[in-house]
Amino acid sequence: MFIEMKQKDIKMLKEKLWIKNNKKCPVLDKEVPLDKMALDHAHKRKDEEYSENKGVIREALDFRTNAVLGKLENSLKRSGLSYADDFDLPTFLRNAADYFERGAYVDEDGNYYIHPNEVKKNPPLSKKNYNKVKKLYNAEEFIPKRKNQKKKPMPEYPKSGKATKALIELFEKYQIELYN
């Protein structure tokens, strides 16, 4: 039998489930005040009938936990993963827990590999320091080593903000930091 609740009934059932669980969130396994609990329920589409896993209350959970689980379920639906015939959410979550506990990949030599998104990037080349180098470079006397040899122009400040090999050499020559 399915009992259709009204909004005014939520507080009573939430408190009943909270007490049944010793005032704990069953997912966090921690005590949570009643006012921080939410009634979690299995969603159903409008064209679906009520069932053991459609439209029914599951538990009273910490409201943040409830939000995370809701986002997970929605992501699984949007990705299409949850619609696969062989998809089982509890198995997926157990496997995910095992996966996270295994930790990072370590090769046979004990090396860890850093994902490119996590590699620290240098800040943009300091424009202030670039101008100092440019001033020193332009003021420096040029002594040709061959006939008709001219002084190379100062390299332009790179649009990308990344120091070029030629700029790095000049910054080192004048002992000026690349970055502020």
Side-chain angles (χ1 to χ4, degrees):
M1 179 160 127
F2 297 104
I3 300 170
E4 292 182 341
M5 294 178 58
K6 302 233 184 281
Q7 198 66 32
K8 64 181 176 82
D9 302 326
I10 288 178
K11 186 175 181 183
M12 178 193 64
L13 184 58
K14 181 170 67 169
E15 186 171 1
K16 182 179 181 178
L17 292 171
W18 178 67
I19 290 169
K20 175 186 82 83
N21 288 320
N22 299 314
K23 301 180 180 180
K24 288 183 174 184
C25 169
V27 175
L28 293 177
D29 194 30
K30 292 181 181 175
E31 279 196 24
V32 177
L34 180 59
D35 66 332
K36 301 292 184 193
M37 300 294 277
L39 274 184
D40 178 53
H41 69 284
H43 292 253
K44 73 170 196 65
R45 294 190 315 259
K46 289 180 179 157
D47 64 335
E48 294 178 317
E49 297 294 323
Y50 300 130
S51 71
E52 291 176 3
N53 57 9
K54 300 283 182 189
V56 293
I57 302 292
R58 290 188 281 223
E59 268 295 347
L61 303 178
D62 171 272
F63 75 97
R64 299 163 301 178
T65 302
N66 187 50
V68 168
L69 293 178
K71 289 183 186 313
L72 173 67
E73 286 180 313
N74 289 336
S75 293
L76 289 168
K77 287 176 186 172
R78 280 194 304 277
S79 71
L81 190 58
S82 67
Y83 297 118
D85 291 337
D86 60 348
F87 183 78
D88 178 62
L89 180 59
T91 301
F92 173 83
L93 292 173
R94 284 183 195 95
N95 290 343
D98 292 344
Y99 167 79
F100 283 117
E101 286 176 347
R102 274 196 302 275
Y105 167 73
V106 182
D107 72 13
E108 54 281 347
D109 296 322
N111 298 310
Y112 291 86
Y113 294 82
I114 308 302
H115 192 281
N117 292 353
E118 302 300 327
V119 174
K120 185 178 178 185
K121 292 170 179 58
N122 287 328
L125 179 65
S126 165
K127 286 186 181 181
K128 179 179 159 188
N129 291 355
Y130 169 83
N131 288 330
K132 286 180 186 177
V133 168
K134 185 176 183 178
K135 188 175 181 180
L136 291 168
Y137 182 79
N138 290 335
E140 186 177 71
E141 183 182 351
F142 176 69
I143 302 168
K145 294 182 181 173
R146 317 185 286 280
K147 188 178 178 182
N148 297 329
Q149 184 182 12
K150 294 182 180 173
K151 185 176 182 178
K152 290 182 183 177
M154 172 73 183
E156 293 292 322
Y157 182 86
K159 290 179 184 176
S160 68
K162 294 180 183 176
T164 62
K165 186 176 178 182
L167 282 173
I168 292 170
E169 289 172 4
L170 288 172
F171 273 76
E172 288 173 354
K173 176 181 177 181
Y174 298 115
Q175 299 179 357
I176 294 176
E177 293 291 322
L178 289 163
Y179 315 105
N180 284 340

